[in-house]
Amino acid sequence: MSVAPVEIERTEAESAPFEVPDPDVPWVTIVHNDPVNLMTYVVYVFQTYFGYPKEKARQLMLDVHHKGRATVSSGTREEMERDVQAMHGFGLWATLQHDK
Amino acid sequence: MTGLFKRAHGGGAQLTLDPVEASILRSLMVQMLELIGPGPGEDAPEDPLAALFAEGPTKPPADPALARLFPDAYAEGPEAGELSSEFRRFTENDLRARKRDDAVAVVRAIDDAEEDRKGRAVVRLDPDGCRRTLGALNDLRLTLGSRLDVSEDDDSLYALPDEDPRKPMVMAYLWLGGLQESLLETMF
């Protein structure tokens, strides 16, 4: 009889996650400027992969070009790893990081 | 001299190349295929099942052009190196395979091209071929751009004297840019 509560306690402790990711601090995918990729190609990638409207895709491309980098998507770490992998597939220079 | 991509009837795109251009484009794609290669998984086990579970590389490629094609995924923070290695281990082999497939698709399209009355190669691409060719042209430009050390602040590359050994590669780089741009226009 006295064992049961201990077991329950242990189960709870084991199922508790070690790190609780802060849902308010998402991960982001950043595309960096490079001298080779064509502006029209970068817009194409943002439109086709992310499904962004042309104006948004174009603005992001200009941000990459003028500011050196732009945040192109945000979400969970897994989602951002998928986006970065896709960007590398298109030949864009992309990284992911915890948003600040 | 050079033809550009045009929208094809019934979808896709079409490019007419003279024999020299066709051979240059093909040979550049083949050289890129050799550069990309099977990657560090080369010494993967013969057993296809074991190869399926073989892990990819953990370090960025030493060649700067390959390092550009397969960049690190994490750049900031104390764990960036470790996280990039882990990411690379699970993604780089797939990425290499995709880039190879795209370049092979371009080589095949050139080989399958019909000859017109003037002896030029008429390369036809379906929508999937357009997508692959667009990617392969971009990878090729990244490769040449890395070899030429292209930068936004320095346009001296575009005014090289004829005797400069880099000149042919610069011409090819610019030509490929025009091809890529014209292909995009047909798709978009």
Side-chain angles (χ1 to χ4, degrees):
Chain A
M1 289 286 278
S2 66
V3 174
V6 176
E7 276 186 0
I8 289 165
E9 210 174 15
R10 191 187 295 154
T11 309
E12 277 174 352
E14 277 174 1
S15 65
F18 285 98
E19 281 176 47
V20 183
D22 185 347
D24 295 334
V25 184
W27 288 75
V28 289
T29 295
I30 291 173
V31 169
H32 304 259
N33 192 30
D34 82 85
V36 173
N37 281 325
L38 299 170
M39 290 171 144
T40 45
Y41 180 67
V42 175
V43 174
Y44 159 86
V45 171
F46 292 165
Q47 278 191 260
T48 50
Y49 177 75
F50 294 111
Y52 291 151
K54 184 158 195 179
E55 251 333 288
K56 176 167 182 175
R58 201 179 135 69
Q59 190 52 53
L60 284 173
M61 177 280 290
L62 289 172
D63 284 353
V64 172
H65 185 67
H66 293 301
K67 299 175 186 164
R69 51 192 270 169
T71 299
V72 296
S73 64
S74 65
T76 65
R77 182 164 159 197
E78 288 69 30
E79 286 166 342
M80 295 306 99
E81 288 203 328
R82 203 156 55 230
D83 286 355
V84 164
Q85 193 181 356
M87 291 301 104
H88 291 179
F90 283 108
L92 267 56
W93 176 24
T95 56
L96 71 149
Q97 65 186 54
H98 227 158
D99 199 9
K100 281 178 246 169
Chain B
M1 75 174 194
T2 100
L4 295 171
F5 278 99
K6 293 191 179 83
R7 222 177 280 263
H9 297 293
Q14 170 176 327
L15 171 70
T16 305
L17 296 171
D18 69 37
V20 175
E21 292 167 342
S23 127
I24 291 173
L25 183 58
R26 189 185 192 283
S27 134
L28 287 171
M29 285 292 169
V30 169
Q31 285 176 48
M32 182 170 73
L33 278 166
E34 286 167 1
L35 176 72
I36 294 174
E42 243 169 337
D43 47 352
E46 297 280 318
D47 177 358
L49 194 61
L52 191 65
F53 291 103
E55 287 177 344
T58 54
K59 290 197 181 103
D63 184 294
L66 285 178
R68 176 60 190 82
L69 290 181
F70 308 106
D72 277 342
Y74 291 83
E76 295 202 354
E79 290 175 326
E82 206 178 308
L83 292 170
S84 291
S85 292
E86 192 67 4
F87 181 85
R88 189 176 287 286
R89 195 150 63 92
F90 292 109
T91 59
E92 188 180 306
N93 282 351
D94 282 352
L95 202 52
R96 277 189 193 246
R98 261 185 53 192
K99 290 188 184 294
R100 270 201 308 274
D101 289 349
D102 288 350
V104 165
V106 178
V107 171
R108 293 229 173 96
I110 295 172
D111 290 345
D112 291 346
E114 278 170 41
E115 217 175 272
D116 69 6
R117 276 173 303 172
K118 295 177 183 165
R120 300 175 304 182
V122 183
V123 180
R124 289 177 211 278
L125 302 174
D126 63 13
D128 184 59
C130 287
R131 197 184 47 72
R132 288 176 177 280
T133 303
L134 186 69
L137 285 173
N138 200 67
D139 290 339
L140 191 51
R141 291 181 59 254
L142 287 171
T143 306
L144 296 186
S146 166
R147 290 281 181 268
L148 290 167
D149 214 4
V150 167
S151 98
E152 272 174 1
D153 316 317
D154 176 16
D155 43 14
S156 63
L157 272 181
Y158 311 123
L160 293 176
D162 285 346
E163 62 274 17
D164 192 292
R166 291 170 298 173
K167 183 106 181 180
M169 201 190 272
V170 173
M171 302 293 287
Y173 174 78
L174 293 173
W175 176 52
L176 294 169
L179 284 186
Q180 193 189 2
E181 192 86 60
S182 68
L183 178 54
L184 260 173
E185 275 167 27
T186 72
M187 296 170 67
F188 215 15

